[in-house]
Amino acid sequence: MAGFVQQVVEGLGAGAIYASLALALVLIYQFTGIVNFAQGELAMFSTYIAWQCVAAGLPFWLALVLTLAVSFAGGMLIERVIIRPVEGAPELTIVIVTVGLFIFVNAAAGWIWTFLIKDFPNPFPGGALEAAGVSVSFSTLGVLGVVAAVMGLLYLLFQHTKIGLGMRAVATNPASARLVGIRVGRTLALGWGLAATVGAVSGVLVAPLLFLEPNMMGGVLIYAFAAATLGGFDSPLGAVAGGLIVGVAETLAGAYVGVIGSDLKVGVPLVIILGVLLLRPQGLFGRAVVERA
């Protein structure tokens, strides 16, 4: 039994990382209806900025704050320069734009920092808590705490601030929001900036576990898509719940399903995506869209 609980704990730690990137995906989808295939690469690029700041001698947490600020500004700039010109274009056009952004950011990171693997400092202390034969590392606790803090801050933003209420109005009905005086363009840019900031947190959490290199977020993005699909692309809470479920499912499948093992665990999120799309396309927490004929 202790072994099973240990696997669940490890799955929750991995799932929290997937949840943070899924949360960034959901934020952009909520505001713009766009599935951003470049979200993982934007998180990777932000992580390189944090690494560069630490390498320059800044304390880790100061480097993180600076990175989040740069990520927020970068997300807003991307919305203004790259996304807004294709606003209202066919969905395939927007998909191609985000895939192109994926390729460009990946290549830019490799050009600036090379494709060599780099060590990234772990912000959490080593060691673990042990109880009843179950070990919970301080790193896992730190990751869960950071994701919980991000969710709490987003809740306060959307429920108790004027900016958050305006963002919710734009996400619900941009045309009506514009009629009551909300600057929709600026609000959409804020949404992209916010998503880029949350994605940066995901990258910083992943890098100490996977090492820092331009392709590090490719696999994580697949798990994040599975989490967002499972929880619902219109539900931030669902993204977090979906991430935790995907993380636990992946860990348990790798540990107890012999044919999967550690090599085929990436198949777990793909099965989850397919199953959800077939059985409940809106996800566990999403709202079904009903269109009148």
Side-chain angles (χ1 to χ4, degrees), residues 118-174:
K118 295 177 174 60
D119 287 324
F120 191 87
N122 194 328
F124 307 112
L129 296 177
E130 305 225 0
V134 177
S135 176
V136 184
S137 69
F138 291 124
S139 179
T140 297
L141 292 174
V143 168
L144 290 170
V146 168
V147 173
V150 169
M151 274 298 299
L153 291 173
L154 288 176
Y155 173 81
L156 292 176
L157 173 66
F158 290 132
Q159 298 293 332
H160 299 288
T161 69
K162 185 177 179 180
I163 293 176
L165 293 175
M167 296 175 79
R168 289 172 57 196
V170 170
T172 303
N173 193 322

Side-chain angles (χ1 to χ4, degrees), residues 78-203:
I78 288 172
E79 193 280 333
R80 180 61 62 92
V81 175
I82 298 176
I83 301 301
R84 190 168 301 184
V86 296
E87 184 179 358
E91 291 182 359
L92 182 58
T93 300
I94 298 175
V95 168
I96 292 172
V97 168
T98 62
V99 171
L101 182 61
F102 175 106
I103 297 170
F104 174 78
V105 173
N106 183 276
W111 178 63
I112 297 171
W113 290 288
T114 78
F115 285 88
L116 297 177
I117 293 175
K118 295 177 174 60
D119 287 324
F120 191 87
N122 194 328
F124 307 112
L129 296 177
E130 305 225 0
V134 177
S135 176
V136 184
S137 69
F138 291 124
S139 179
T140 297
L141 292 174
V143 168
L144 290 170
V146 168
V147 173
V150 169
M151 274 298 299
L153 291 173
L154 288 176
Y155 173 81
L156 292 176
L157 173 66
F158 290 132
Q159 298 293 332
H160 299 288
T161 69
K162 185 177 179 180
I163 293 176
L165 293 175
M167 296 175 79
R168 289 172 57 196
V170 170
T172 303
N173 193 322
S176 297
R178 186 176 282 109
L179 289 175
V180 298
I182 297 175
R183 298 178 61 179
V184 173
R186 185 178 67 177
T187 303
L188 292 176
L190 287 173
W192 273 80
L194 188 61
T197 304
V198 174
V201 172
S202 174

Side-chain angles (χ1 to χ4, degrees), residues 27 33 46 48 65 97 103 105 109 113 145 147-148 154 170 175 185 195 197 211 213 234 257 261 275 282-283 290:
L27 287 174
S46 296
Y48 266 109
V65 171
V97 168
I103 297 170
V105 173
W113 290 288
V147 173
L154 288 176
V170 170
T197 304
F211 297 106
E213 54 98 12
D234 58 355
V257 182
Q282 70 270 28
V290 179

